[in-house]
Amino acid sequence: MSDVPAPYSEISNTFIKLRDGRKLSARIWLPANAEQSAVPAILEYLPYRKRDGTAPRDESTYPVFATAGYAGVRVDISGTGESDGDFDDEYSARELADGVEVIEWIAQQKWCDGNVGMMGISWGGFNSLQIAALQPPALKAVISIGSTVDRYNDDIHYKNGALLSCNFWWSNVMLCFASRPPDPALVRDRWRDMWVHRLNTQPFPLEQWLSHQRRDAYWRHGSICEDFAKVKAPSLVISGWADGYINAPPASAEHLPMAKAINGPWIHKYPHFAYPHPRMDFHGEALHWWNRWLKNEANDAESLPAYRAYISENVRPAARREHEQGRWVAEQQWPSPKIQSRALYLARFGQVTLDAPEPEQISICSPLDCGTACGEFFTLAPDADMPGDQRGDDAGSLCFDTDALVESVEILGRPKLRLRVAIDKPIGNLIVRLVDVHPDGVGHRVSWGVLNLAHRDDNAEPKPMPQGQFTDIEIALDECGYRFLPQHTIRIAISTSYWPMILPTPERVTATLALGENSSVTLPVRSGSDQIDIPAPENADPLPHYKMHKPEHRERRVERNLQTQRTDYFIIDDTGEDEMPMHGLRTRHKHETIYSIDWDDPKSASAQCKYTCWMSRENWNICTVSESWLTCNKTHFYLSARVRAYENNVLFHERLWEKSIERDLM
């Protein structure tokens, strides 16, 4: 037996008592001798269950931090995991206030020296920045991954006034997540009473989210773009080009007083185990950040480039995209003086020209199922979650192509499309995609943007389009870093549908574009062949492997019924069943969603989702099932949901929701 002392210890569960008496559950990793010599602490604060939900990624990171001299504190939000109280909503005032209390509690522990950092991906990345804006004294630095600075325009609910289908899907996921019980091994005999309380009090999130179709006070809450100056803590903001949360890093580099930003090629995962490769040594990057701001180490972290980004190139859609060609670059300041705006004009015959063309009008009314190669907003795997070959969607769009390039064109930033457009209805969506067309015709979606034309001037106070009258608009596409190679073609594809990513407006819309000097795309062109080194993680397989009792299964398919003229889009994601080695808990999650639409009727758009979670150990076994349905007509959305709870395979609780919500220029 080795006499070398363990570099850290772990507290698998403890409770943080809040001022109102509620107790939040926490898992803590402590460096050796932290009780005798206090250390800084890192907080991650989530509703996804430390006991099982985030255990693999927590176990890949917090032991590394503890070995480097940091306490790691992973806390479950109120009403989730083993935490008392109710779950009320994402990023609620109560959630953020509790987070401030948790930071205060951590700073007062004898093993903490009073310096606290906060980090997370997605939910934890969101609330890290939002809590930083509240300026708790002990919070000295933040790392935010896969997050947003604008909850209305850059989250899973709406995008520039258009309704994302994820708004529906994510609501059903949270119905199931919030309906799960605590682990009896930790809360003992209280577990069933806590479970029943959750089942009776959990909200149906879609009711709230769909009741706020404008960018009102509900969405401004927690959107740090309302006042960037409130975030005074140094913030490292990271995301990936294959993620839906792309825009926060450069926005943070531009507006936050003390921020650095990184965009890699990744899906919605931590960069040390994300796809596509190349991965980033997140642990090394994070420790460099923490050492500077929590230990006051003079390591020049404040002198890092404002923005580091991966410039992808020659990307081809594939059944599984594990690696992307390209290189890392750095911009010392953002916006960068090295990036120049280059205007390309949309012209007749689907051409893109350098000079403004002669005026001409051209119309488009896309098939209602145009968009099935969209992939997923919330990308969790490098497969069909990512956008596919764009040729099918291009067939239902107006496409404008450059000639085959004779030299490469590199861009970094947000392309912008200016159009003079008229539609024949008061409400309509316009979608634009920037596509890299390979010499053999295969199309890779580099970036995309959407505008609900009723929101053309203001997301807070939309107004109908004057039917048949031309109006000047601008659509900002998502941030991107890409190099178009010689012999490739740059394509601008414009459509009036992008289903199922975006749910349609009430009536089919024909859009007419007035081509000329007011119809152009502006590319953020970057020159140079510079390159920097971003180290990859030493461990190519950093996540722990648990015993699998049932295999995982993922499926994404489209069925077009020629007889009924209806398209159905199916998603199945089954995690399989694994077993936690430390405490024997088995878990499995299965998500099944169907989006449907008739080819000639946008009011036929519907969605149904079922999410099932199984948990078991020895003679204990429970299951929660959430189901949601969304339909619509010209004036209303109709929502319904059901949560059923099973104990030892016997149904013991069921709860139903029914709601109609008026459409608000959407």
Side-chain angles (χ1 to χ4, degrees):
M1 182 178 293
S2 172
D3 294 329
V4 177
Y8 66 91
S9 61
E10 181 188 331
I11 302 169
S12 63
N13 187 72
T14 191
F15 290 101
I16 300 171
K17 188 172 182 179
L18 303 179
R19 294 186 184 94
D20 65 4
R22 285 175 299 129
K23 292 184 291 185
L24 304 186
S25 63
R27 184 179 182 185
I28 300 176
W29 293 260
L30 293 175
N33 302 317
E35 299 277 359
Q36 291 75 41
S37 180
V39 297
I42 314 300
L43 167 66
E44 191 167 4
Y45 176 52
L46 294 168
Y48 300 144
R49 303 175 62 94
K50 63 175 177 37
R51 185 67 160 171
D52 49 276
T54 63
R57 76 186 197 204
D58 296 342
E59 292 165 9
S60 84
T61 293
Y62 288 105
V64 174
F65 286 178
T67 302
Y70 293 93
V73 186
R74 172 62 184 84
V75 176
D76 283 336
I77 284 170
S78 182
T80 68
E82 284 67 52
S83 290
D84 290 342
D86 300 335
F87 169 76
D88 54 1
D89 196 2
E90 55 182 15
Y91 326 122
S92 68
R94 190 230 68 226
E95 173 191 328
L96 303 185
D98 287 354
V100 170
E101 268 200 72
V102 168
I103 290 170
E104 181 182 337
W105 180 89
I106 293 171
Q108 292 173 350
Q109 302 309 296
K110 64 180 180 180
W111 40 260
C112 181
D113 66 5
N115 295 300
V116 180
M118 192 170 179
M119 77 167 203
I121 185 171
S122 201
W123 198 303
F126 277 58
N127 66 22
S128 292
L129 291 173
Q130 292 165 8
I131 290 173
L134 299 177
Q135 301 177 20
L139 183 60
K140 300 301 197 304
V142 162
I143 299 178
S144 176
I145 307 164
S147 64
T148 184
V149 300
D150 184 345
R151 290 184 58 213
Y152 182 79
N153 281 309
D154 275 323
D155 195 4
I156 206 166
H157 309 290
Y158 300 92
K159 194 174 181 71
N160 226 359
L163 176 58
L164 294 173
S165 59
C166 288
N167 195 44
F168 164 79
W169 165 74
W170 186 244
S171 170
N172 193 68
V173 172
M174 287 309 301
L175 263 183
C176 195
F177 278 11
S179 69
R180 292 176 291 175
D183 187 347
L186 297 180
V187 300
R188 306 303 178 187
D189 293 341
R190 293 194 303 133
W191 79 269
R192 202 171 189 279
D193 288 341
M194 291 176 68
W195 190 20
V196 171
H197 177 82
R198 291 177 185 182
L199 291 167
N200 285 324
T201 60
Q202 67 179 111
F204 178 29
L206 190 59
E207 287 188 51
Q208 178 79 285
W209 300 340
L210 203 52
S211 295
H212 297 274
Q213 296 168 40
R214 305 182 180 203
R215 194 178 185 278
D216 56 13
Y218 176 79
W219 300 111
R220 292 196 297 271
H221 163 78
S223 292
I224 65 166
C225 63
E226 293 294 303
D227 189 353
F228 282 109
K230 287 184 177 179
V231 181
K232 299 186 182 300
S235 302
L236 178 61
V237 184
I238 304 171
S239 194
W241 299 134
D243 194 351
Y245 298 105
I246 299 173
N247 300 318
S252 299
E254 180 176 0
H255 296 292
L256 287 183
M258 298 183 67
K260 304 296 181 181
I262 301 173
N263 267 121
W266 314 298
I267 58 175
H268 192 71
K269 297 285 187 180
Y270 270 89
H272 61 299
F273 58 84
Y275 288 99
H277 289 226
R279 292 170 170 172
M280 182 182 80
D281 178 14
F282 172 72
H283 295 154
E285 190 76 36
L287 288 172
H288 186 240
W289 194 251
W290 300 136
N291 289 345
R292 173 64 186 91
W293 303 114
L294 301 185
K295 290 186 176 179
N296 200 30
E297 180 181 290
N299 62 12
D300 290 330
E302 67 273 25
S303 300
L304 286 168
Y307 187 31
R308 288 169 285 170
Y310 192 74
I311 305 294
S312 301
E313 63 179 49
N314 203 34
V315 176
R316 293 180 68 89
R320 187 171 176 86
R321 194 195 310 167
E322 297 201 357
H323 189 276
E324 254 177 45
Q325 291 178 230
R327 73 189 197 285
W328 287 100
V329 302
E331 298 292 349
Q332 295 301 320
Q333 62 186 81
W334 192 259
S336 170
K338 295 193 299 185
I339 294 175
Q340 304 297 318
S341 295
R342 181 183 298 178
L344 302 174
Y345 293 90
L346 311 185
R348 63 190 307 183
F349 308 126
Q351 295 178 313
V352 172
T353 61
L354 294 176
D355 299 315
E358 293 297 317
E360 177 153 336
Q361 293 183 11
I362 187 169
S363 297
I364 178 68
C365 179
S366 300
L368 289 177
D369 62 352
C370 175
T372 54
C374 60
E376 182 59 72
F377 182 92
F378 196 75
T379 48
L380 295 176
D383 52 20
D385 274 16
M386 304 172 80
D389 186 349
Q390 298 294 290
R391 284 180 289 188
D393 291 347
D394 289 350
S397 309
L398 283 176
C399 294
F400 300 87
D401 294 359
T402 64
D403 293 333
L405 300 175
V406 296
E407 58 183 24
S408 63
V409 175
E410 181 169 309
I411 61 174
L412 180 62
R414 297 193 79 158
K416 293 182 179 179
L417 180 71
R418 293 190 307 125
L419 283 177
R420 190 162 177 77
V421 62
I423 59 175
D424 60 346
K425 300 294 188 298
I427 312 169
N429 293 326
L430 210 60
I431 298 91
V432 57
R433 291 175 288 115
L434 177 65
V435 179
D436 176 16
V437 181
H438 290 247
D440 62 358
V442 169
H444 163 65
R445 193 189 75 195
V446 175
S447 183
W448 73 288
V450 59
L451 175 63
N452 174 345
L453 291 165
H455 288 241
R456 61 197 178 278
D457 297 321
D458 192 351
N459 293 136
E461 297 292 339
K463 55 187 178 183
M465 280 283 284
Q467 296 177 56
Q469 295 183 27
F470 283 95
T471 302
D472 290 318
I473 64 162
E474 181 176 276
I475 302 176
L477 283 66
D478 283 336
E479 299 278 355
C480 56
Y482 199 81
R483 186 167 178 255
F484 296 88
L485 298 181
Q487 302 306 311
H488 288 230
T489 297
I490 299 174
R491 171 171 292 168
I492 310 300
I494 300 172
S495 62
T496 55
S497 302
Y498 204 50
W499 179 90
M501 180 78 81
I502 294 169
L503 297 183
T505 51
E507 299 177 281
R508 293 202 71 174
V509 170
T510 296
T512 302
L513 314 184
L515 304 182
E517 62 181 5
N518 291 321
S519 296
S520 65
V521 62
T522 301
L523 298 179
V525 176
R526 185 181 187 277
S527 59
S529 57
D530 54 320
Q531 184 170 353
I532 64 167
D533 179 52
I534 296 285
E538 292 184 5
N539 184 356
D541 187 21
L543 296 179
H545 292 277
Y546 300 153
K547 183 178 180 180
M548 295 295 296
H549 294 277
K550 290 183 173 65
E552 66 176 12
H553 172 69
R554 290 175 57 83
E555 187 175 321
R556 194 175 280 257
R557 57 188 169 85
V558 179
E559 292 184 4
R560 291 183 170 91
N561 189 318
L562 303 181
Q563 189 71 25
T564 62
Q565 297 196 332
R566 182 176 180 85
T567 299
D568 297 297
Y569 190 106
F570 297 86
I571 302 170
I572 299 174
D573 187 358
D574 188 338
T575 64
E577 183 182 76
D578 60 15
E579 181 178 338
M580 312 285 123
M582 298 292 290
H583 46 75
L585 185 66
R586 296 186 182 189
T587 62
R588 177 187 174 198
H589 300 261
K590 186 176 182 180
H591 154 224
E592 302 163 274
T593 293
I594 305 173
Y595 298 106
S596 301
I597 196 165
D598 293 342
W599 294 353
D600 291 320
D601 184 8
K603 299 184 297 299
S604 70
S606 65
Q608 54 184 302
C609 182
K610 180 180 180 181
Y611 199 101
T612 308
C613 173
W614 295 268
M615 298 170 61
S616 63
R617 181 192 288 112
E618 298 172 345
N619 296 323
W620 177 79
N621 114 36
I622 67 92
C623 173
T624 62
V625 182
S626 64
E627 296 173 280
S628 298
W629 296 266
L630 173 66
T631 59
C632 61
N633 61 22
K634 186 174 181 178
T635 60
H636 285 78
F637 294 107
Y638 298 96
L639 331 176
S640 56
R642 174 175 63 191
V643 170
R644 290 174 290 169
Y646 297 83
E647 184 179 357
N648 296 325
N649 301 314
V650 176
L651 176 68
F652 87 94
H653 192 283
E654 183 172 19
R655 189 172 171 206
L656 305 174
W657 290 263
E658 296 280 348
K659 183 79 171 182
S660 65
I661 295 175
E662 188 174 357
R663 301 181 80 140
D664 183 7
L665 295 179
M666 184 164 288

